Amino acid sequence: MLVELIASTRFDAVTFQEATGFQSEPWTPSADLLAEAAGRQCYEAWERKNPATATNRGYLANIIDHQHFSVLEHASATFLVHGVSRSLLAELTRHRHLSFSVESQRYVDQTGREPAVPPALRGTDMEGDLHAFHAEAVDLYVQVRNALAEQGVPRKQAREAARAFLLNAQPVNLIVTGNLRAWREVLTKRYHVAADAEIRELADEILTHLRCIAPSTFQDFGDVIGNEEIRRAA
Ligand SMILES: Cc1cc2nc3c(=O)[nH]c(=O)nc-3n(C[C@H](O)[C@H](O)[C@H](O)COP(=O)(O)OP(=O)(O)OC[C@H]3O[C@@H](n4cnc5c(N)ncnc54)[C@H](O)[C@@H]3O)c2cc1C
């Protein structure tokens, strides 16, 4: 699995200061500043009168505490994701506030790729079985695609039919964008012990990136959600 942050919102602190007089805290990441600016806009609160909310981190802690989440919708983050399973794709696309551009199996040839191996199979004999089964599935895909093409079926239609022989583990590449509120929603459900292990890995990678571009916005995300309770109970 490859997960790269390829775009994120830039806040123009100079223009904002010229318009409002608000002096943003130096060295604060753009996405966090934009959320603070949006929150302060609501109350025209350009001065830092309350010590508890004087810092960007304190301000956004208060925003999160009060569930004033709409201010987190202004900044967004876009990820390039390669080599995840089709099962993961089905789960991720359930999140209605994310935007997707997904490689088409009708246009893109599906040969020459390794399967997305579920974490529980890695390093076991079953990982070898999955690779063998995947290779057989891809062989069938090629046979069916070629047979249909020989019958005069156009290439796109031949691929769309042949893909029925591919596995859930067939890897897929995509670009996905979400605003920071949407990413918080996704992480609440997918960076969680109850979530599928592969999507939890994706959530972990995404959270690592988001913590870099918006540490205050994700300050309340700690360990995988639910892990703490499990450890305490053990
Ligand atoms: C562990 C786990 C197991 C799952 N198992 C299954 C399963 O077996 N079968 C299955 O079909 N799905 C399953 N799902 C998917 C799940 O039901 C959700 O579709 C998915 O997690 C997306 O979350 P969401 O719908 O809460 O929010 P999102 O689409 O991410 O939206 C975020 C939030 O916006 C609000 N919202 C969005 N749309 C609406 C709306 N139309 N009306 C009201 N409020 C809205 C809600 O507050 C929602 O929580 C599972 C998810 C998890 C995490």
Side-chain angles (χ1 to χ4, degrees):
M1 176 189 302
L2 169 90
V3 184
E4 296 289 357
L5 177 77
I6 55 170
S8 60
T9 301
R10 192 182 71 83
F11 175 62
D12 187 341
V14 174
T15 301
F16 192 71
Q17 184 176 353
E18 281 168 6
T20 64
F22 175 67
Q23 251 192 322
S24 50
E25 222 179 322
W27 314 117
T28 307
S30 251
D32 281 344
L33 274 183
L34 180 52
E36 181 181 354
R40 290 186 180 279
Q41 177 61 73
C42 294
Y43 314 108
E44 303 263 321
W46 310 125
E47 290 164 35
R48 302 170 194 278
K49 288 185 179 156
N50 179 355
T53 57
T55 61
N56 177 267
R57 191 175 174 83
Y59 194 87
L60 292 189
N62 191 50
I63 288 280
I64 293 164
D65 195 39
H66 287 80
Q67 303 196 23
H68 186 4
F69 292 131
S70 59
V71 302
L72 307 180
E73 293 172 14
H74 297 290
S76 69
T78 301
F79 295 94
L80 175 69
V81 178
H82 276 189
V84 293
S85 69
R86 283 270 156 184
S87 339
L88 184 149
L89 179 67
E91 295 185 353
L92 194 60
T93 49
R94 294 297 298 275
H95 293 281
R96 289 162 280 188
H97 300 117
L98 297 180
S99 305
F100 292 92
S101 298
V102 180
E103 163 208 347
S104 165
Q105 281 189 331
R106 302 173 74 205
Y107 283 89
V108 181
D109 186 68
Q110 294 296 302
T111 57
R113 296 158 179 225
E114 294 302 319
V117 180
L121 300 189
R122 290 180 203 152
T124 70
D125 292 346
M126 289 175 283
E127 177 171 3
D129 295 341
L130 177 62
H131 278 278
F133 197 36
H134 169 76
E136 275 178 44
V138 173
D139 278 349
L140 279 170
Y141 163 85
V142 170
Q143 284 174 37
V144 171
R145 185 199 63 196
N146 292 348
L148 290 172
E150 277 168 25
Q151 290 167 22
V153 175
R155 199 158 46 173
K156 190 172 77 176
Q157 279 75 25
R159 282 192 182 126
E160 80 188 16
R163 68 176 163 175
F165 289 85
L166 298 173
L167 305 183
N168 264 339
Q170 183 66 20
V172 61
N173 302 333
L174 60 131
I175 289 177
V176 54
T177 298
N179 66 50
L180 298 193
R181 181 185 190 173
W183 282 122
R184 283 181 57 90
E185 276 285 342
V186 173
L187 292 172
T188 301
K189 287 152 198 152
R190 306 302 184 177
Y191 190 62
H192 192 288
V193 282
D196 168 271
E198 185 193 8
I199 203 167
R200 212 160 64 213
E201 284 186 343
L202 175 74
D204 190 15
E205 297 265 351
I206 285 175
L207 180 56
T208 301
H209 285 293
L210 291 173
R211 279 183 173 134
C212 291
I213 62 162
S216 297
T217 300
F218 293 90
Q219 61 183 288
D220 54 329
F221 281 81
D223 198 0
V224 171
I225 298 161
N227 259 0
E228 282 303 315
E229 287 80 352
I230 286 171
R231 281 207 204 101
R232 268 201 297 276

